[in-house]
Amino acid sequence: MTSQEALRDLLAERGFEVTQTTLSRDLRELGVAKVPLPEGGSTYQASPGRGDPKPTLERLLPALFTGVDGVGNLVVIKTLTGGAQPVAVALDRQGWKELLGTISGDDTILLILRDARKRKSIERRIRQLAGIED
């Protein structure tokens, strides 16, 4: 399935009428995220396993990460197109005490840190989770 509208149409064909808002909320609660495909385009993907239905950084970053850089107490993570939001959600769920908050676009995430002295260690942690050695 490549769009929520297509999923909504499929559900309607099977007798389930849902609003866009309800569908979007339910997908989010189920841990279903739209992720880019290596060959282009995107698809919806649920997290495997019953214990944690939410996508994790360990799973998302190796597939979506393209770079990280920062200045002061700000860190910018670059992802493949469409990858920023699922990665930002996974980051928010980590509960890192150094992280004040995230703002994501389509392929860029801004991390705001509580302390600029933690920036290098956060960048290193992100690279490690993405499978990139320093």
Side-chain angles (χ1 to χ4, degrees):
M1 201 61 43
T2 60
S3 73
Q4 287 186 12
E5 190 58 38
L7 177 56
R8 227 175 120 218
D9 291 344
L10 181 63
L11 288 168
E13 287 174 16
R14 296 187 179 176
F16 299 99
E17 295 294 329
V18 296
T19 65
Q20 177 66 37
T21 305
T22 299
L23 182 58
S24 183
R25 183 195 67 230
D26 290 349
L27 288 172
R28 187 173 49 254
E29 287 176 3
L30 290 169
V32 175
K34 192 170 189 175
V35 296
L37 296 169
E39 63 275 3
S42 60
T43 188
Y44 285 92
Q45 186 174 20
S47 295
R50 303 182 83 200
D52 183 13
K54 310 292 188 224
T56 63
L57 282 176
E58 292 82 0
R59 190 173 133 255
L60 293 172
L61 277 177
L64 301 174
F65 177 84
T66 62
V68 64
D69 201 358
V71 62
N73 70 325
L74 305 175
V75 174
V76 173
I77 299 173
K78 299 294 284 179
T79 70
L80 296 176
T81 303
Q85 290 184 6
V87 171
V89 168
L91 271 165
D92 289 339
R93 288 192 175 120
Q94 290 289 312
W96 293 352
K97 64 180 189 271
E98 306 94 337
L99 189 57
L100 183 61
T102 62
I103 301 172
S104 73
D106 194 41
D107 64 357
T108 305
I109 306 162
L110 173 65
L111 280 64
I112 304 165
L113 307 180
R114 295 181 186 282
D115 185 344
R117 295 173 292 185
K118 300 292 185 179
R119 182 174 53 82
K120 290 292 184 187
S121 67
I122 291 292
E123 289 174 11
R124 192 168 28 260
R125 189 183 318 171
I126 290 165
R127 280 190 203 93
Q128 288 171 345
L129 287 167
I132 309 286
E133 298 299 322
D134 278 339

